[in-house]
């Protein structure tokens, strides 16, 4: 059975930077509050000409170049996103068009901030069962378009960006060793953008009441659940691979809050040097956060052949999951 190996990574973020000091002028908040509670100093915000498909393209082009793969050789093209460029069709189809990845089957993955891990599991399954040889997986988000800029509880947390990987089948050798996925739909109301779908179709009322925007019911509760669920997903991944935490060279967690990541690293006894943390610059970019962090780490030389990586995510749904990858 073939393994799936990551052969290229890429990332892309809008050039416009929104700092905590900028937010101080818009809301009743402070740079200190945001830094201390979240670890975020600034985030990127897309311009009027940008959307999730254009950010995805920027990341995908880099990943394909690193992999040395022509878009026409991509069999499956997936975009993990909660902020599609248009409601219909999939953002992956828009990306297929711009990349001219004519042979690919293109679809989106909607699994909140865990979308990239879910996409990795789907890609790995399709490669292992022989349905695909080359997969392009992108996490792309424009959360700035669906945050309520008057709600200080949420708008300070999120940012825009994209990250991509190219996966390819190979016999044996390094690659994706495991993926574990979980959901708890019983808690779907914790983090939600309720309006604009078929339950509450777009209307003047939806716009007036801001129901198309992100609402978070209890930041504290989400925080607590995130730490516990990500710890469980990491422990399950380690056990399935007969690994100890000390065997992992790099932990690449979803970047939702530096305090969530620090609490997770403490529980798993991961030293700071083994944890990839870039939330300071980007905030929470949902499904884009792990591939963005992975690409930055790879390009900075922090990821070397033979290293074992543990990826873990948690997000709206609720959804969570983990993956172990040998580089
Ligand atoms: N500036 C100043 N004060 C604020 C701000 C702000 N931006 N936001 C909230 N506050 C206030 C609150 O109103 C509250 O005031 P009160 O006590 O007078 O009511 C006070 O700060 C404390 O609020 P807490 O909720 O106790 O603060 P906490 O330490 O839990 O931090 C935070 C809040 C940052 C939201 C944290 O709970 C968190 O990160 N939770 C995880 C949420 C998350 O990441 N969601 C994203 C999606 S899911 C995912 O990706 C994991």
């Amino acid at each position: 059975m073939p393994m799936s190996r990551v052969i290229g990574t890429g990332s892309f973020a809008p050039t416009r930077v929104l700092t905590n000091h900028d937010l101080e002028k818009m809301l009743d908040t402070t740079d200190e509050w945001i830094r201390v509670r979240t670890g975020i100093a600034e985030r990127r915000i897309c311009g009027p000409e940008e959307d999730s498909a254009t950010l995805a393209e920027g990341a995908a082009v880099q990943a394909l170049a690193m992999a040395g793969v022509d878009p026409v050789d991509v069999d499956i093209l997936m975009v993990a996103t909660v902020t599609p460029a248009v409601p219909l069709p999939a953002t992956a189809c828009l990306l297929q068009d711009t990349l001219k990845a004519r042979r690919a089957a293109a679809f989106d993955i909607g699994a909140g901030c865990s979308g990239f891990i879910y996409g990795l599991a789907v890609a790995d399954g399709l490669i292992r069962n022989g349905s695909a040889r080359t997969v392009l997986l992108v996490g792309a988000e424009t959360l700035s378009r669906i945050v309520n800029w008057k709600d200080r509880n949420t708008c300070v947390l999120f940012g825009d960006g994209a990250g991509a990987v190219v996966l390819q089948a190979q016999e044996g050798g390094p690659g994706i060793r495991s993926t574990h996925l979980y959901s708890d739909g019983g808690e779907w109301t914790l983090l939600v953008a309720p309006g604009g779908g078929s339950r509450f179709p777009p209307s003047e009322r939806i716009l007036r009441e801001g129901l198309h925007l992100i609402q978070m019911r209890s930041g504290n509760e989400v925080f607590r659940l995130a730490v516990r669920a990500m710890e469980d997903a990491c422990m399950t991944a380690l056990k399935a691979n007969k690994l100890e935490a000390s065997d992992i060279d790099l932990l690449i967690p979803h970047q939702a809050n530096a305090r969530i990541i620090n609490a997770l690293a403490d529980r798993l006894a991961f030293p700071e040097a083994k944890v990839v943390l870039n939330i300071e610059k980007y905030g929470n970019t949902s499904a884009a956060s792990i591939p963005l962090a992975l690409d930055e780490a790879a390009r900075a030389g922090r990821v070397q052949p033979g290293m074992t990586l543990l990826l873990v995510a948690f997000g709206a749904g609720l959804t969570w999951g983990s993956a172990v990858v040998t580089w």
Side-chain angles (χ1 to χ4, degrees):
M1 191 187 282
M3 295 268 290
S4 25
R5 181 177 188 186
V6 179
I7 58 167
T9 65
S11 60
F12 187 85
T15 48
R16 184 181 161 210
V17 175
L18 184 73
T19 66
N20 293 346
H21 293 294
D22 296 329
L23 284 168
E24 283 176 348
K25 294 174 201 140
M26 299 159 54
L27 294 156
D28 180 16
T29 191
T30 62
D31 172 56
E32 196 202 347
W33 192 97
I34 302 171
R35 274 181 198 267
V36 170
R37 299 291 181 116
T38 70
I40 301 166
E42 58 189 44
R43 69 285 295 139
R44 301 297 182 90
I45 305 292
C46 61
E49 305 299 319
E50 291 176 307
D51 56 49
S52 293
T54 66
L55 302 191
E57 184 187 354
V61 165
Q62 279 191 10
L64 290 164
M66 187 193 284
V69 165
D70 190 308
V72 86
D73 293 324
V74 173
D75 300 312
I76 301 282
L77 196 172
M78 271 183 274
V79 176
T81 187
V82 295
T83 48
V86 293
L88 183 77
T91 300
C93 292
L94 277 67
L95 181 59
Q96 174 179 30
D97 182 40
T98 48
L99 291 177
K100 304 208 176 357
R102 282 183 290 273
R103 284 185 44 256
F107 57 96
D108 286 358
I109 298 260
C113 301
S114 310
F116 181 76
I117 300 287
Y118 272 62
L120 217 50
V122 174
D124 186 44
L126 290 168
I127 287 175
R128 280 179 193 258
N129 76 17
S131 299
R133 187 178 132 70
T134 304
V135 178
L136 171 61
L137 169 63
V138 189
E141 300 283 17
T142 45
L143 277 309
S144 68
R145 296 265 157 86
I146 62 159
V147 297
N148 181 347
W149 288 105
K150 293 188 176 124
D151 176 13
R152 67 176 185 174
N153 290 293
T154 51
C155 77
V156 305
L157 302 175
F158 297 100
D160 301 338
V165 293
V166 177
L167 297 136
Q168 204 160 60
Q170 68 160 37
E171 294 304 322
I176 297 182
R177 291 168 63 163
S178 67
T179 53
H180 289 87
L181 306 180
Y182 308 92
S183 307
D184 178 5
E187 298 285 8
W188 72 272
T189 57
L190 268 181
L191 196 73
V192 61
S198 60
R199 183 165 295 187
F200 304 110
S203 68
E204 270 180 35
R205 182 178 84 86
I206 296 292
L207 288 178
R208 195 173 54 246
E209 296 179 12
L211 296 178
H212 56 302
L213 305 173
I214 292 181
Q215 304 168 0
M216 184 165 60
R217 192 150 48 78
S218 164
N220 268 316
E221 176 75 350
V222 175
F223 189 110
R224 201 178 53 76
L225 291 169
V227 175
R228 205 174 57 202
M230 289 202 286
E231 183 192 10
D232 281 354
C234 287
M235 295 307 289
T236 306
L238 292 173
K239 204 169 157 203
N241 290 284
K242 299 188 173 53
L243 295 172
E244 302 291 331
S246 56
D247 297 319
I248 300 295
D249 297 297
L250 221 46
L251 175 70
I252 308 186
H254 168 52
Q255 313 277 317
N257 183 321
R259 282 162 54 223
I260 292 179
I261 295 173
N262 292 338
L264 176 69
D266 276 355
R267 287 179 178 216
L268 297 170
F270 264 86
E272 216 176 283
K274 283 190 175 184
V275 182
V276 176
L277 193 66
N278 67 356
I279 190 170
E280 189 180 5
K281 291 187 294 179
Y282 299 108
N284 180 348
T285 58
S286 190
S289 89
I290 291 179
L292 216 166
L294 171 64
D295 181 57
E296 283 199 347
R299 286 175 195 271
R302 285 183 80 186
V303 187
Q304 295 293 332
M307 278 189 166
T308 302
L309 317 183
L310 176 55
L311 317 182
V312 63
F314 178 88
L318 301 173
T319 58
W320 63 102
S322 59
V324 174
V325 182
T326 301
W327 206 252

